[in-house]
Amino acid sequence: MSPSSTQEREALQSVTQSGYKWGFETDIEMEFAPQGLSEEIIRLISAKKGDPDWLLAWRLEAFAAWRKMEEPHWGLLHYPPIDYQALRYYAAPKRKPGPKSLDEVDPKLLETYAKLGIPLKEQAVLAGVAAETEAPAQIAVDAVFDSVSVATTFRQRLADAGVIFCSISEAIREHPDLVRRYLGSVVPAGDNYFAALNAAVFTDGSFVFVPRGVRCPMELSTYFRINARNTGQFERTLIVAEPGAQVSYLEGCTAPQRDENQLHAAVVELIAEEDASIKYSTVQNWYPGDAEGKGGVYNFVTKRGDCRGARAKISWTQVETGSAITWKYPSCLLRGEGSVGEFYSVAVTTNHQQADTGTKMIHIGANTTSTIVSKGISAGFSNNTYRGQVKVMPRAHNAHNHTQCDSLLIGDKCGAHTVPYIESRNATARLEHEATTSKIADDQLFYCRQRGLTEEDAVNLIVNGFCKEVLKELPMEFAVEAQKLLAVSLEGSVG
Amino acid sequence: MSTQPLQALAGKFADAYAARAADPARALAAERFRAEGLPTPRVEAWHYTPLAALADVALAAPARDPAVLAARIPDLGVPRLVFGNGRYRADLSTPPADLAVRTGAPAWGVLPEGLQHHLVALNTMFAEDGAEIVVPPGTDAGVLMLVHLATGGASHPRHAVRLGANARLTLVEIALGEGAAFHNPVITFAVGEGATVVHTVLQEESAEAIHLATVFAEVAKGATYDSFLLTLGGRLARREMHTRLAGPGAAAHLNAAQLLGGTQHADFTTDVVHASANATSRQTVKNVLAGHARGVFQGRILVERDAQKTDGYQMNQGLLLSPTAELDVKPGLEIYADDVKCSHGTAIGEIDPEQLFYLRSRGIPEGEARAMLVRAFIGEALDGIAFAPVRAAMEERIGIWWEAQQAS
């Protein structure tokens, strides 16, 4: 290596070591539940949230199911056993009910939003002050701080269009019938170990309801933040698109930098009725742990969309750069005739991160189609697995799936794995699957270097090209963000 | 629970073993088997192939002498070793004159971590006989047939094939049978430096038979293990191929065609470990499924940390001829080296209506056109078979299979 590139490397390393810039912790007065998990804790959470009786019953049922289940270990993931009794299942910023002006809002909370760089011109709004301005921003934000949603912006403008966008606790209070009708209808309380845990203890999340024929006038976004120590974050998101409705939703996540691991077990349920379309994008940037693999978020998430009506469409796009452990398989149940499922994913792992992620496309109805494009990038000592299932049920005549999974290896200490499950029970279905694994070709690098790009820039360029098919699926504002995130994630991993 | 009959069966095997004279060579296998039993669908590697059918087969003593099946052995004009219900049959065999072959006892072979496989443990407990075939360095041993005839009961033959440096052997393995028999062979190959093994298998057990075979191949530097499996028979069949490319420049070809109808279930499972640099693996797997048949292909390519410049490719194609057939495919890449070229592809569908239309518009009747397209589909997998007589025998069997499907 030439001296100049050594210098470059040092410069880059200093950047890398500054690493995770979202790793700060907000010192804010919090309200906690005691450590551990029991029926009493669930009753306590339920009382804090002011749950209706049916919801408490549902939580208890989930808890009973969870206690009988075993933690799944089929993923290509290695981590020490999680002590579920050492966690706190409820943590909320202490605040007086309904602040009326900015002065009443904890300034630390506002500071946090500023640091997170959420487009918070509407910080006042987000903090719960009812000042919905005519701001030109096109994105409505719901922010979830540890376990509770702190505020939602642009409520009024959405309400004018008939769209409900609020925290799920608020939805339970204001629209109990809607929530009761849909909650758990895609991911039942006892669906799997982590989903059952979530159902028992979830404290907040977002709720979106787009009525018949309405095209949601702006992008919706939720910002998740784990802050307090030894807490788990268990949010639950429910999005319902009535016949002909359309909505695009984006979630972002960060967490403070800590030596111990934090648990995140979320559930997302999407329901698309006839001709409805839901686009769900995730930029997941939970704290991944330090260069030695210490700390980081354990991200065990169940995401599932249900295309209930004919020609419904659900599209998942994810850019996964964070978390020490990622266990996540956004799925589509393609029930409606001609319904469409899509999954576009970029998963980047560096240092000691481990990701086991992919999708499930279950073709139930006739003429259903699905597309899977997965790009995995492994660097450092990380392991990155694509695990995906495509299942064609006997009645899914003329179903069609195309899957493409590409893995890129950067360095010789990492691993890239592909584990597809392809099950066809209908002769008229057409299933295509392609997977490749390679490294960045020397000639590509040479070509870029020859034209004056540094090695780091060359790698970024090539990686961005490798991920382009996925990044172009993101809403524009976030595509730029995601590209930067990729660059930051891979800093220092070349050479 | 549907797994109970399986546990009961495993218990019967364990009891049968306990009744035998103590044998230290088999004790570890028995211990493993007692702890693990038979795999249920909850074991990831057996998810798509439930062994429940094995539990309902009454493993009664063979009704007839397997010699009655000898006439069905294809005449390839080469020496043959014939086993009947797990025992060597000198009366039916024509051993090669110039090759060291030992029979009369199980040929254990070298089994790296073999006992972790349930059925290998079972085979180790009960193996009574097998062929040990040794080809000295630099020798071309030509073609040899290894035949198994089953007429009932459980057979656990254990064969081992060893090739010295730069040696060469074509082994044609044929399994034939009648009635409800359970055939659980284990074969190990040790392929020396620069040596080549061609392993061609025709599995044509009876429609009630259970055929669960496990093959291990350890391939040294510059050596080649080239295999092809044609599965036609068995109510429940599975062949697991564990191949380790141990030396630089080693190569493995694991090709298969499974042609199934009725309620047959066949599973081709491969595990290729690239343990050394510059090794190559190629897999082409074809499934043609009619009736209520279920085909399974599971393939894993594992590239170890030091196996740079690995070239691995896996192609799987499935043709579903009936609306009630099912195909389950689980390819997999597990890669720990960065300078590799690995890919796999899967395509599943029915006969392309456009191709059918093309042929019909040229005056070819539908039945013939379909036959032509199916033959072309399988043809690609057969192309690699160099020994013409065995290829001809297979093509003939495929023709018979197709006619039987048309008639049913």
Side-chain angles (χ1 to χ4, degrees):
Chain A
M1 194 178 277
S2 68
S4 69
S5 73
T6 314
Q7 274 174 357
E8 254 170 44
R9 183 81 51 250
E10 280 165 5
L12 281 169
Q13 258 157 18
S14 70
V15 176
T16 319
Q17 270 141 25
S18 70
Y20 191 72
K21 60 179 176 178
W22 304 270
F24 58 85
E25 177 181 352
T26 309
D27 182 16
I28 200 165
E29 218 185 322
M30 301 290 285
E31 190 178 3
F32 290 110
Q35 279 185 348
L37 185 55
S38 62
E39 236 180 82
E40 288 70 59
I41 294 282
I42 290 166
R43 286 178 192 281
L44 175 81
I45 293 171
S46 188
K48 287 261 179 218
K49 304 300 298 178
D51 281 354
D53 291 345
W54 63 265
L55 190 54
L56 175 62
W58 192 68
R59 286 178 188 276
L60 292 174
E61 184 195 318
F63 181 61
W66 179 77
R67 278 208 289 202
K68 287 191 204 117
M69 290 172 154
E70 273 174 47
E71 193 181 318
H73 287 289
W74 38 257
L76 219 58
L77 302 168
H78 303 283
Y79 54 93
I82 299 169
D83 182 356
Y84 292 92
Q85 294 304 335
L87 291 170
R88 287 181 197 281
Y89 290 85
Y90 183 75
K94 255 190 194 164
R95 104 185 153 160
K96 294 153 207 140
K100 291 289 173 282
S101 80
L102 261 185
D103 303 337
E104 282 181 42
V105 175
D106 192 326
K108 294 270 174 50
L109 199 58
L110 292 181
E111 217 175 282
T112 305
Y113 294 134
K115 276 196 216 169
L116 290 170
I118 315 172
L120 286 190
K121 191 178 230 174
E122 58 287 36
Q123 261 182 35
V125 183
L126 196 51
V129 187
E132 291 191 18
T133 56
E134 305 308 309
Q138 289 304 303
I139 299 157
V141 180
D142 180 26
V144 177
F145 197 81
D146 281 318
S147 297
V148 293
S149 170
V150 283
T152 312
T153 61
F154 289 102
R155 201 84 65 75
Q156 195 51 49
R157 270 173 67 176
L158 290 169
D160 292 345
V163 176
I164 302 171
F165 177 39
C166 60
S167 73
I168 202 154
S169 0
E170 199 180 329
I172 292 164
R173 282 195 307 272
E174 310 286 329
H175 313 281
D177 295 343
L178 270 184
V179 175
R180 192 172 182 181
R181 191 162 136 211
Y182 292 107
L183 187 75
S185 70
V186 185
V187 181
D191 187 75
N192 68 66
Y193 189 81
F194 295 107
L197 179 63
N198 175 288
V201 303
F202 83 93
T203 35
D204 223 325
S206 298
F207 175 72
V208 178
F209 180 82
V210 188
R212 186 178 286 267
V214 171
R215 185 189 179 129
C216 186
M218 61 184 81
E219 299 273 345
L220 303 182
S221 171
T222 297
Y223 202 83
F224 294 107
R225 174 82 183 163
I226 299 182
N227 192 61
R229 194 175 288 269
N230 289 334
T231 53
Q233 173 141 338
F234 306 95
E235 81 273 0
R236 195 159 183 115
T237 299
L238 175 58
I239 300 180
V240 180
E242 282 206 329
Q246 277 184 43
V247 60
S248 167
Y249 180 94
L250 185 124
E251 63 170 9
C253 345
T254 60
Q257 205 156 337
R258 290 192 196 288
D259 285 349
E260 67 267 31
N261 301 101
Q262 290 155 291
L263 178 65
H264 175 245
V267 170
V268 175
E269 296 179 274
L270 311 183
I271 293 141
E273 304 279 9
E274 197 173 285
D275 293 308
S277 133
I278 301 175
K279 182 178 176 70
Y280 193 104
S281 315
T282 305
V283 174
Q284 187 263 104
N285 188 27
W286 296 117
Y287 178 54
D290 67 7
E292 271 73 53
K294 206 168 174 197
V297 172
Y298 287 176
N299 192 28
F300 295 97
V301 176
T302 305
K303 293 186 168 178
R304 193 174 301 152
D306 190 351
C307 288
R308 289 203 179 151
R311 298 168 302 281
K313 179 179 176 183
I314 288 179
S315 176
W316 299 99
T317 306
Q318 59 173 25
V319 175
E320 303 276 320
T321 59
S323 296
I325 304 267
T326 301
W327 181 96
K328 178 179 171 185
Y329 314 91
S331 314
C332 294
L333 299 172
L334 303 169
R335 272 184 227 280
E337 209 246 310
S339 56
V340 176
E342 292 177 341
F343 175 75
Y344 298 96
S345 166
V346 169
V348 182
T349 54
T350 62
N351 295 328
H352 290 268
Q353 280 177 277
Q354 302 174 60
D356 195 300
T357 183
T359 183
K360 280 185 184 185
M361 293 290 174
I362 313 294
H363 291 259
I364 301 165
N367 300 314
T368 46
T369 57
S370 60
T371 306
I372 300 172
V373 178
S374 163
K375 306 281 180 177
I377 300 157
S378 328
F381 298 88
S382 69
N383 275 296
N384 197 330
T385 305
Y386 166 83
R387 187 183 301 276
Q389 183 183 37
V390 176
K391 188 170 190 164
V392 178
M393 304 303 280
R395 269 184 248 168
H397 300 294
N398 299 316
H400 184 205
N401 163 268
H402 182 79
T403 302
Q404 189 189 334
C405 314
D406 298 317
S407 304
L408 194 64
L409 290 142
I410 302 176
D412 58 3
K413 300 280 184 292
C414 52
H417 319 301
T418 316
V419 192
Y421 300 70
I422 305 158
E423 303 168 19
S424 177
R425 295 172 66 188
N426 188 302
T428 60
R430 271 182 308 138
L431 307 179
E432 299 143 16
H433 175 98
E434 293 173 64
T436 64
T437 302
S438 53
K439 66 164 193 167
I440 294 179
D442 292 339
D443 54 342
Q444 290 176 341
L445 263 184
F446 178 75
Y447 181 92
C448 296
R449 297 272 286 145
Q450 199 193 26
R451 274 148 187 80
L453 292 182
T454 63
E455 192 172 356
E456 204 77 33
D457 285 343
V459 168
N460 278 335
L461 186 72
I462 294 165
V463 166
N464 268 305
F466 177 74
C467 302
K468 200 174 161 190
E469 282 168 276
V470 174
L471 297 179
K472 75 175 170 49
E473 296 295 328
L474 284 172
M476 194 184 60
E477 299 86 338
F478 299 101
V480 179
E481 201 65 36
Q483 282 188 23
K484 283 189 200 147
L485 197 56
L486 284 185
V488 172
S489 302
L490 290 171
E491 261 167 15
S493 57
V494 191
Chain B
M1 278 292 285
S2 62
T3 56
Q4 268 169 5
L6 214 52
Q7 285 162 359
L9 178 67
K12 273 190 216 164
F13 279 125
D15 292 346
Y17 177 78
R20 297 161 59 119
D23 182 344
R26 304 177 198 251
L28 187 59
E31 198 181 301
R32 279 269 182 159
F33 187 81
R34 266 195 297 270
E36 303 276 334
L38 288 162
T40 66
R42 298 186 68 170
V43 175
E44 174 80 10
W46 288 87
H47 181 66
Y48 291 125
T49 299
L51 280 181
L54 181 57
D56 9 288
V57 174
L59 294 171
R64 301 210 288 170
D65 182 337
V68 296
L69 298 173
R72 282 174 50 194
I73 302 171
D75 181 12
L76 305 180
V78 296
R80 70 188 197 192
L81 305 171
V82 180
F83 287 75
N85 294 329
R87 290 285 195 171
Y88 182 62
R89 293 292 294 256
D91 55 330
L92 304 174
S93 303
T94 51
D98 47 1
L99 196 60
V101 174
R102 188 189 55 75
T103 54
W108 296 117
V110 186
L111 268 193
E113 296 167 22
L115 293 182
Q116 69 183 10
H117 304 285
H118 305 76
L119 290 155
V120 176
L122 187 64
N123 172 288
T124 307
M125 286 157 67
F126 293 106
E128 292 178 316
D129 208 340
E132 185 175 31
I133 302 162
V134 180
V135 185
T139 314
D140 184 347
V143 183
L144 174 63
M145 284 167 83
L146 179 65
V147 182
H148 190 267
L149 309 174
T151 56
S155 320
H156 307 271
R158 183 67 164 259
H159 309 293
V161 180
R162 215 163 62 232
L163 278 86
N166 301 311
R168 202 184 154 83
L169 172 71
T170 296
L171 186 73
V172 178
E173 184 192 338
I174 293 176
L176 302 171
E178 63 173 22
F182 171 37
H183 183 200
N184 178 36
V186 172
I187 310 180
T188 58
F189 288 88
V191 192
E193 279 189 26
T196 299
V197 171
V198 178
H199 181 201
T200 310
V201 186
L202 170 62
Q203 192 270 90
E204 213 183 358
E205 305 260 16
S206 86
E208 298 114 89
I210 315 270
H211 176 95
L212 304 169
T214 314
V215 179
F216 294 88
E218 176 94 1
V219 189
K221 182 178 165 187
T224 301
Y225 172 72
D226 178 354
S227 80
F228 174 77
L229 164 70
L230 176 63
T231 295
L232 295 169
R235 165 185 177 179
L236 171 66
R238 163 150 156 154
R239 182 161 286 241
E240 266 184 52
M241 313 276 291
H242 298 270
T243 308
R244 189 163 178 273
L245 299 169
H253 305 158
L254 307 175
N255 302 327
Q258 303 195 121
L259 277 60
L260 311 173
T263 55
Q264 282 183 288
H265 178 126
D267 172 342
F268 184 59
T269 292
T270 66
D271 187 33
V272 178
V273 178
H274 283 261
S276 194
N278 286 304
T280 307
S281 63
R282 289 279 177 275
Q283 301 178 52
T284 302
V285 178
K286 306 260 185 177
N287 273 285
V288 181
L289 308 175
H292 287 81
R294 185 170 177 196
V296 176
F297 168 61
Q298 306 186 95
R300 181 179 78 141
I301 300 177
L302 170 68
V303 179
E304 290 183 354
R305 195 69 77 204
D306 300 325
Q308 298 294 1
K309 308 276 178 203
T310 283
D311 181 355
Y313 179 68
Q314 202 179 59
M315 183 64 207
N316 170 70
Q317 289 169 318
L319 195 56
L320 271 57
L321 297 176
S322 97
T324 44
E326 174 174 350
L327 178 57
D328 300 312
V329 177
K330 193 184 127 193
L333 300 172
E334 202 174 322
I335 295 170
Y336 296 95
D338 64 336
D339 191 2
V340 301
K341 216 169 72 187
C342 280
S343 55
H344 61 76
T346 296
I348 303 172
E350 55 181 348
I351 290 183
D352 187 342
E354 273 184 43
Q355 294 176 359
L356 205 56
F357 177 77
Y358 180 92
L359 293 173
R360 293 204 60 194
S361 69
R362 273 148 188 81
I364 298 168
E366 178 165 354
E368 241 172 80
R370 288 172 73 90
M372 209 180 259
L373 291 169
V374 171
R375 261 170 203 278
F377 178 81
I378 306 161
E380 198 191 331
L382 292 173
D383 277 349
I385 303 173
F387 182 55
V390 74
R391 189 180 164 160
M394 284 183 169
E395 276 171 357
E396 188 203 325
R397 292 300 198 278
I398 291 170
I400 294 168
W401 178 83
W402 176 253
E403 271 158 35
Q405 295 311 315
Q406 294 306 96
S408 72

